[in-house]
Amino acid sequence: MANTYNLSHESLNSLFGALRKDGRRIMAPVEAGGRTELAEVETPAQVASDYLQTILSAKEVAFPKVERLLSYTIAPGQVDLKDTEPKAVPTVLFGVRPCEAKAFGALDAVFNWDYRDKFFNARIEQLAVIGLSCTKADEACFCTSVGGGPADATGSDILLTPKEGGYLAEVCTEKGAAILNLAPDLFKPGNGVDKAAITAKVEQAFDQPALTTKLPGIFESEVWTDQALRCIGCGACAFVCPTCVCFDIQEEADPKKGERLRCWDSCGFHLFTLHASGHNPREVQGARWRQRVYHKFSYYPERYDMLGCVGCGKCTRACPVDMNLKEHLIEAAGVKA
Amino acid sequence: MEAVNQRAKELLEKGEIKAVLGYAKGTGHVRRPHFARKAGQVDQLVLDAACLQNLAVYVTKHEVKKLGKVAVIALPATQRAILQLMAERQLRDGELVILAVDGEAVKELDSAAALEEHLALKAQGLDAKDKALLAELDAMSREQRWVYWQNELSRCMKCYACRNSCPMCYCGTCTMDCNRPQWVPVASHGIGNLEYHAVRTMHLAGRCVECGECGRACPVGIPVHLLTFAAEESIHEQFGQRAGAKAKLDYALSTFKTDDKESFIR
Amino acid sequence: MSEKNIYLPYLMRIAEITEESPAVKTFRLEFVDEIAAQSFDFKTGQFGLYSAFGEGESTFCIASSPTRKGYIECTFREVGRVTAALADKEVGDIVGFRGPYGNVFPLEDWKGKNLVFIAGGIALPPLRSVIWNCLDLRDWFQDITVVYGARSVKDLVYKRELKEWSERPDMKLVTTVDPGGETPDWQGKIGFIPPVVEQLGLAAENTVAIVCGPPIMIKLTLPVLEKLGFPPERIFTTLENRMKCGVGKCGRCNTGSSYVCKDGPVYTLAELNELPAEY
């Protein structure tokens, strides 16, 4: 159960100072060339003041687009392997939207369901999330259809909700309490605020349980091929997605030394499943688009008892051909709320 | 628009085509590509200033070719791209119905020769904004330009939206996807990004129809279209040619002419 | 405190190289590290990721039997960047190995049953491990039959072992090559695997079929087995989806909600029937 406090606008300066004094890097949305993107900041003034969402998700703080897994040197008849220790800087993600905060859980499900991924875990261990409730939403948003909400605290160590003069601060986890303890004076006793009244209204667009129930029965439906006719098979949706976790492992080497890198990948690429023999289990774009939908809304629930989608709408906003996930789910399964 | 839709409907009803490729209303104010496969779906097609995408990217796709003959509602950039594809022998005369739209006028074309004639009447040029950006880049020193692109490309994550949205990037196996040899590193780090965009630019020099689709497609707002625009403008300056203007391929970088400039040989 | 790096391979020295058929080689690999050699264990059906340092990793089954200790073997065809680099290696060279990964053939469940192994082309290696495993536990099973076909005589792998199996009184080996692939002295059958299997007159009762081969062979062989009366629960195969991590993370081998690298590579036909045909 979260402890609730009031945090004034002015106190953020001191909070940032306390976090930095504690040796933490602060990552927050900033305005850059008309875009909102995540960057390291020192003061609250650098944080974007009025933004819907960043283009890319916050997943890169724990799962960067390229990272080294190991390195080695080669000599005749000899290979010396070197383990890689992930660079895990104590980091506070400030001002991340509730949907993205929640998404770390979906990444964790894959990275640790069986074998444990030390690269992801080392960074998550050093990460604290200060979420910020949404006061606006757009047509791509659908968090409330997938069990989230504009003021959902899941995944946030502290969730801030903007209100008159500052924020309502919900301290949700031990990591959140540790932050509070860095500057306890800033967190004033807070009263109950009707969060729903001050945060964005995101109407529930579809019935997700009905969707998940229906999907296995419409796997062979033409609808996936039809919808995917305009999909150009790029990786924009997967790369901006806060839950898309699929990756490639690539070797980069010269005759004497080399390294193995993990890179973001996408099931939308035809290369993703292509065998060296030329056989491709997902030969056409319709099959690849379907995989994206099913992975998030059918396979994830079956496998991990959660959804692989937080309804942030980033994929829809990033898509060059406007593949609107929410709309297509409703169209395919007829599950309008 | 009504005239185009009317004609599209007729063609579908008569069975002369299997689909009409045009634009439909998308999320918010966005217009998205749309395949109308039944006469009843034609009414969903819209045509206004928000229709931007170069639709020629679809006409070489296996999935689209499988539909059968398609009519394309083609704005000038799409027309140029289709003509270039025809010149590069990716499309045959008669394979498509091209509903060429220029302002209010609609012309039905189906051959490279007809497209060439049609396009010859129109001046091709970059819009003012891109012209200004190119001039800005041109005014920079090499070092400044290097820093500018390093900075821009650092955001690249190799989602390949620029490549996949480009009508001229139709290769079955892209150099980027080839690993024997691994020409360009797959990873989206400094060198991987730089080499990718350098290769993309060079592969489009003399072939870029300057639609700007790659730049619009980029989810992180890298003006990648300026790279191919600059290459294309340079080809135009040096060889007096423009891609998407001629029915017969006369590709500057692979055609030797006795009157070619040799000033680059020093 | 740091966790173990699950992407770090064992270093293996190539102890022996056998040229099986054009572009197909078998490596016998020994652990460079003594302690790793001692602690390493696997079960038949499992696979690994083999590294050619400088080029990357490639996935194949472990082709030797767990009953043969001290080494593992893999057989691969040169088709891509990594296998081409592996093919260039010589005895004494170092390669990497991650594994063993995936599930296993349920030998315990097969006790007292007849076994029919059906393999096509380069797909004998995954079955070779389990065939040897079963032969080394011969008294667990009733009749053991191996049907192996390839495009031509020169494409048959494990020629020495085929000879040994053909001479063993406690098993039956049927080899076949595609029409036109025979040589003048070819003693085996001529024809595709599905009709050859059909003509064998196999009794499905109390028999387990293990099938591995190119997709088209599997597709045409399964109906034959079903016609012979094999229930889907007693038909096994092993999938070879593309993989990068082998440990249930990278998402590449996902077939439905199944991770081929974790829930597979061994599946019964009954299990496959529940999955989308994306393999």
Side-chain angles (χ1 to χ4, degrees), chain A residues 69 72 83 85 110-111 113-117 248 251 260 262 265 271-272 274 279 282 302-304, chain C residues 2-3 5 7 9 11 51 54 57 240 242 244 248-250 252 256-257 259 262-263 276 278-279:
Chain A
L69 298 176
Y72 51 82
D83 196 354
E85 287 311 324
V110 171
F111 278 127
W113 72 275
D114 185 75
Y115 289 92
R116 294 179 59 79
D117 189 286
D248 189 6
E251 196 100 339
R260 217 157 261 177
R262 160 152 79 193
D265 207 342
L271 219 59
F272 189 67
L274 180 68
H279 171 67
R282 287 194 280 272
E302 191 180 332
R303 187 103 208 171
Y304 305 115
Chain C
S2 180
E3 297 175 28
N5 184 347
Y7 306 100
L11 294 179
S51 312
E57 291 180 305
E240 302 206 315
R242 193 170 183 196
K244 286 286 183 173
K249 312 272 173 253
C250 78
R252 206 164 291 256
S257 65
Y259 284 94
K262 288 295 307 175
D263 310 319
E278 294 183 338
Y279 41 82

Side-chain angles (χ1 to χ4, degrees), chain B residues 151-189:
Chain B
N151 185 32
E152 289 292 324
L153 295 182
S154 70
R155 294 201 302 282
C156 176
M157 48 193 180
K158 284 209 183 169
C159 69
Y160 295 122
C162 47
R163 175 190 71 181
N164 289 24
S165 64
C166 175
M168 306 323 296
C169 279
Y170 52 73
C171 292
T173 304
C174 173
T175 303
M176 297 304 129
D177 294 343
C178 167
N179 73 355
R180 293 184 76 187
Q182 186 76 57
W183 296 109
V184 175
V186 171
S188 175
H189 46 37

Side-chain angles (χ1 to χ4, degrees), chain A residues 13-23 182-183 186:
Chain A
N13 259 323
S14 311
L15 181 63
F16 274 42
L19 289 169
R20 285 168 43 76
K21 202 174 148 207
D22 192 46
L182 292 176
L186 304 177

Side-chain angles (χ1 to χ4, degrees), chain C residues 4-261:
Chain C
K4 197 171 149 264
N5 184 347
I6 53 177
Y7 306 100
L8 212 56
Y10 294 113
L11 294 179
M12 312 292 284
R13 194 175 302 280
I14 302 175
E16 202 180 305
I17 298 176
T18 310
E19 308 260 352
E20 301 288 358
S21 66
V24 177
K25 289 183 179 183
T26 297
F27 284 176
R28 176 169 294 191
L29 304 173
E30 293 171 355
F31 289 85
V32 169
D33 180 46
E34 234 356 89
I35 299 162
Q38 298 294 326
S39 62
F40 183 81
D41 198 16
F42 75 100
K43 288 202 164 74
T44 189
Q46 291 190 292
F47 68 93
L49 279 89
Y50 301 76
S51 312
F53 290 103
E55 302 297 341
E57 291 180 305
S58 193
T59 313
F60 347 107
C61 63
I62 302 173
S64 51
S65 165
T67 50
R68 314 289 168 100
K69 302 286 184 193
Y71 64 86
I72 58 168
E73 288 180 334
C74 65
T75 301
F76 60 92
R77 183 166 55 194
E78 186 186 333
V79 278
R81 175 180 169 190
V82 176
T83 46
L86 286 173
D88 283 343
K89 301 279 181 212
E90 293 169 2
V91 169
D93 283 349
I94 303 292
V95 297
F97 172 80
R98 285 199 288 131
Y101 295 141
N103 69 349
V104 304
F105 285 109
L107 298 198
E108 293 276 345
D109 298 350
W110 297 351
K111 273 186 182 174
K113 292 191 165 67
N114 304 308
L115 306 179
V116 183
F117 297 94
I118 303 166
I122 184 67
L124 184 56
L127 296 197
R128 177 199 187 224
S129 169
V130 59
I131 291 170
W132 275 120
N133 201 159
C134 293
L135 290 174
D136 288 345
L137 301 166
R138 187 62 189 88
D139 54 352
W140 283 23
F141 312 102
Q142 302 287 319
D143 294 349
I144 294 183
T145 309
V146 175
V147 182
Y148 176 45
R151 208 172 297 161
S152 71
V153 174
K154 70 175 188 329
D155 290 311
L156 293 165
V157 298
Y158 305 135
K159 291 194 179 67
R160 272 179 312 181
E161 284 152 272
L162 291 177
K163 185 164 181 297
E164 191 183 333
W165 292 348
S166 71
E167 288 164 356
R168 277 179 78 131
D170 60 350
M171 69 176 287
K172 182 176 174 186
L173 174 71
V174 179
T175 50
T176 183
V177 295
D178 292 357
E182 69 276 14
T183 51
D185 58 347
W186 173 242
Q187 303 279 315
K189 294 187 182 290
I190 298 169
F192 298 108
I193 289 172
V196 167
V197 169
E198 196 162 6
Q199 287 153 20
L200 281 179
L202 296 167
E205 205 191 320
N206 198 36
T207 304
V208 172
I210 305 100
V211 189
C212 196
I216 183 71
M217 182 214 108
I218 293 190
K219 198 176 159 195
L220 297 174
T221 305
L222 293 179
V224 171
L225 290 173
E226 285 184 302
K227 199 170 128 195
L228 291 169
F230 283 86
E233 297 74 26
R234 274 196 274 124
I235 301 174
F236 289 79
T237 190
T238 166
L239 295 185
E240 302 206 315
N241 277 23
R242 193 170 183 196
M243 293 174 194
K244 286 286 183 173
C245 76
V247 289
K249 312 272 173 253
C250 78
R252 206 164 291 256
C253 70
N254 284 171
T255 300
S257 65
S258 190
Y259 284 94
V260 175
C261 67

